[in-house]
Amino acid sequence: MLKIVIAGGFGAGKTTAVGAVSEITPLSTEEYLTEASTGVDSLEGVEAKQTTTVAFDFGRLSLPDAPVPLELFLFGTPGQDRFVDLWYDLSRGAVGAVVLVDTRRLESSFTPVSFFEDVGLPFIVAINQFDGAHRYLPEQVRTALELPASVPVLTCDARDPNHVAGVLLALVDHAVKNASASRVHRAPTTTLQDA
C-alpha cells in the first residue's frame, strides 16, 4: 500500500484525476465557489469553474497486474496557496507526489513544485492537456518551472483513467529509484573508534 499526493494549482485537474482512476467512489470535499471568494480565487483561464476542493480528495486504485501488485491511496490537495499548511499533513507518509500542471495558468505550479522540493518528497510533473489549450513540450515546461533533469515531466489527460494510472506508475518508479539512489549515496557513519 502506497500513499500518493496529487497536487497542483487551482483548477489544474486534481479532483478530476482522482475521480478518473479511483476504483471506489472518491471522497470529495468540493464546495461551490461563492462571491466571498471573488477577491481571493482568480478564475482567469478557468472561468467555467464552479467548485473548489476545500480539504482534500481521496481515492483508491489497486494495480494487481503491476510488476509488484500495488494498492495506491490517492490524496488530492486543495490548489490555493492559502491551503499549503494542509499539504504538510497530506504529504506525511507519502511515497511521492504528482504535480498536475495547467499551462494556461503555469504560475500556479510554482508553489507545489517549491513545496515538494522543500520537504524533500519525490515528485513528478504531469502536464494536464486541457482542450483548446496550447500544447507545450515537456522540456519547455521543465525549463519554465526550472526543474532539474532528475524530475520526470509527462503529459496526460486527467479525465483518462489510463493516462492517470500511467502517471501514478511513473511516480512510483521515480520514488523507488530516488530511494535507491539515496541509500547508495549515504556514507557509512563509522569512526576510528568503531574499527
Side-chain angles (χ1 to χ4, degrees):
M1 292 185 294
L2 300 174
K3 179 180 181 181
I4 291 176
V5 176
I6 300 177
F10 176 61
K14 301 172 297 294
T15 299
T16 300
V18 171
V21 78
S22 181
E23 64 196 13
I24 62 170
T25 301
L27 168 66
S28 178
T29 59
E30 289 277 292
E31 291 294 335
Y32 284 100
L33 292 165
T34 64
E35 285 188 34
S37 71
T38 302
V40 179
D41 297 326
S42 170
L43 293 177
E44 187 177 338
V46 289
E47 290 81 8
K49 187 165 178 57
Q50 296 181 351
T51 61
T52 188
T53 300
V54 295
F56 63 90
D57 298 311
F58 173 77
R60 186 183 71 212
L61 175 63
S62 298
L63 299 168
D65 298 328
V68 174
L70 297 171
E71 187 170 11
L72 306 178
F73 294 122
L74 312 173
F75 289 83
T77 69
Q80 298 92 325
D81 290 356
R82 68 181 180 274
F83 292 116
V84 167
D85 287 343
L86 180 59
W87 298 2
Y88 287 99
D89 293 330
L90 293 175
S91 298
R92 190 169 294 121
V95 68
V98 173
V99 176
L100 270 180
V101 169
D102 178 356
T103 57
R104 301 169 303 175
R105 297 163 51 101
L106 191 61
E107 68 282 352
S108 69
S109 302
F110 285 101
T111 298
V113 165
S114 294
F115 175 83
F116 294 115
E117 287 175 340
D118 291 346
V119 299
L121 189 64
F123 70 96
I124 67 172
V125 169
I127 307 162
N128 192 3
Q129 303 281 326
F130 285 92
D131 293 336
H134 182 78
R135 302 286 193 241
Y136 292 94
L137 297 173
E139 286 309 309
Q140 291 173 301
V141 172
R142 176 187 307 285
T143 300
L145 293 175
E146 300 177 350
L147 297 169
S150 60
V151 175
V153 181
L154 315 166
T155 58
C156 75
D157 181 336
R159 301 168 295 187
D160 186 317
N162 292 325
H163 282 212
V164 177
V167 166
L168 296 173
L169 286 173
L171 170 64
V172 170
D173 183 60
H174 175 63
V176 167
K177 288 177 183 172
N178 195 327
S180 297
S182 293
R183 280 194 296 276
V184 167
H185 293 307
R186 255 186 238 134
T189 55
T190 59
T191 64
L192 187 56
Q193 211 173 14
D194 295 329

